[in-house]
Amino acid sequence: MTESFANILVRQEGRVGVVQLNRPQALNALNSALMAELVAALQAFDADEGVGCIVITGSEKAFAAGADIKQMASASVVEMMDSPFIGYWDAVEAIRKPVIAAVSGYCFGGGCELAMICDLIVASDTAVFGQPEINLGIIPGAGGTQRLTRAVGKSVAMDMILSGRRINAQEALQFGLVSRVFPAASFQEDALKVAAEIASKAPVALRVAKEAVNRAYASSLAEGVLFERRAFNLLFATEDQKEGMAAFVEKRAPTWQGR
Ligand code: CAA
């Protein structure tokens, strides 16, 4: 990626594309400029055949302390309705390759909603999650009331959203919000190892698997299972399915073609 950005740092490690949120002066608060850059970088990685998995991360101190309060503070209802701002979260959701949120430090409000839009969250043991919007006289606006409830269940979600309760990494693991917690000292390497593992898998199957799991949130069980069945059968039209099964039978590692 040759584009240069003011609010994010972008790099590629092997088949992993890494986007690091980089507004340290505001604990990575998410403003329009940052979100536009984030979406542009994600879309570029999504279109790049050399990338199999994408990581969104922040600093050691903050993944993101929420949407930028200073940018929103004086907005009117019509300005909020007309603003493309919340649509950036939808654009992140539309990325087809696996996206991992690697969370260290504060992960609040729109930051927590950004992490939850990713396909999985891995956390440093320093991570703290919260939806503190109630303290500002508002509610989560980028999917928090819906995705947090699906992730941790009604009681914990209500607790966090109504009281502003923060939860630490171990609690987030216990409640099912994050999939793995790593020690702070090795967090960046550990998170990248998870991404590299995913990036090494068959690219078409990864995209289809992501679609199928997300379908669980958007359909009845019967419709979701039908979707899965169609998608499963479809993969038998790919060279990678033939290669994957041949490699198993021949006791060798597969070489994926992404088709
Ligand atoms: N928006 C704008 N600026 C923010 C910010 C945010 N969400 N969070 C932190 N900052 C800024 C602070 O204003 C401060 O800037 P100045 O030095 O210019 O004053 C700088 O980042 C450092 O912050 P603190 O001095 O507050 O750092 P701290 O370590 O004492 O506290 C914190 C850290 C607990 C995360 C605290 O900053 C905080 O509570 N931040 C706000 C969290 C929040 O309410 N997030 C929800 C936002 S609304 C939202 O996200 C809506 C939505 O659903 C889309």
Side-chain angles (χ1 to χ4, degrees):
M1 201 174 302
T2 51
E3 220 171 323
S4 70
F5 297 106
N7 300 285
I8 58 172
L9 301 171
V10 176
R11 68 182 197 275
Q12 189 173 335
E13 297 201 10
R15 287 183 51 75
V16 178
V18 181
V19 184
Q20 183 176 358
L21 312 178
N22 188 37
R23 282 189 81 206
Q25 73 282 10
L27 299 177
N28 292 336
L30 306 169
N31 62 12
S32 302
L34 184 153
M35 289 304 292
E37 291 181 3
L38 171 65
V39 168
L42 294 176
Q43 288 174 344
F45 279 141
D46 209 23
D48 183 342
E49 276 187 18
V51 171
C53 182
I54 304 167
V55 173
I56 303 176
T57 194
S59 68
E60 204 180 327
K61 188 169 181 194
F63 177 77
D68 192 314
I69 298 168
K70 291 168 189 167
Q71 184 176 270
M72 286 182 297
S74 61
S76 71
V77 60
V78 175
E79 280 165 352
M80 288 306 286
M81 286 169 71
D82 288 349
S83 165
F85 185 56
I86 297 293
Y88 289 122
W89 277 255
D90 299 336
V92 175
E93 190 178 30
I95 298 299
R96 293 175 312 155
K97 288 178 184 164
V99 182
I100 298 177
V103 174
S104 177
Y106 300 121
C107 185
F108 290 161
C112 189
E113 292 166 304
L114 174 62
M116 290 191 291
I117 270 180
C118 296
D119 299 311
L120 59 134
I121 305 175
V122 298
S124 157
D125 56 17
T126 63
V128 191
F129 298 85
Q131 295 286 166
E133 287 89 344
I134 200 76
N135 299 325
L136 301 168
I138 56 168
I139 67 169
T145 60
Q146 305 305 300
R147 290 195 181 85
L148 187 64
T149 307
R150 282 167 163 82
V152 303
K154 177 177 166 180
S155 192
V156 175
M158 283 287 192
D159 193 355
M160 292 174 69
I161 290 167
L162 300 184
S163 76
R165 173 189 174 187
R166 302 171 179 183
I167 60 170
N168 64 31
Q170 282 307 328
E171 290 169 319
L173 183 66
Q174 182 194 335
F175 299 148
L177 182 61
V178 311
S179 70
R180 311 193 201 195
V181 176
F182 297 117
S186 58
F187 170 64
Q188 286 298 332
E189 303 89 82
D190 292 338
L192 281 175
K193 270 188 215 154
V194 176
E197 171 79 22
I198 291 174
S200 73
K201 309 298 183 191
V204 182
L206 281 178
R207 287 206 294 279
V208 173
K210 170 170 174 162
E211 269 186 52
V213 174
N214 280 332
R215 203 74 182 183
Y217 289 102
S219 67
S220 67
L221 179 61
E223 284 164 356
V225 169
L226 180 62
F227 180 89
E228 180 196 83
R229 193 73 40 86
R230 296 278 181 269
F232 173 76
N233 292 340
L234 183 77
L235 288 169
F236 284 75
T238 64
E239 289 177 25
D240 286 347
Q241 174 269 326
K242 301 289 176 279
E243 165 65 6
M245 293 194 178
F248 176 81
V249 173
E250 293 160 18
K251 299 186 188 301
R252 62 172 174 83
T255 305
W256 308 122
Q257 301 300 329
R259 52 179 183 263

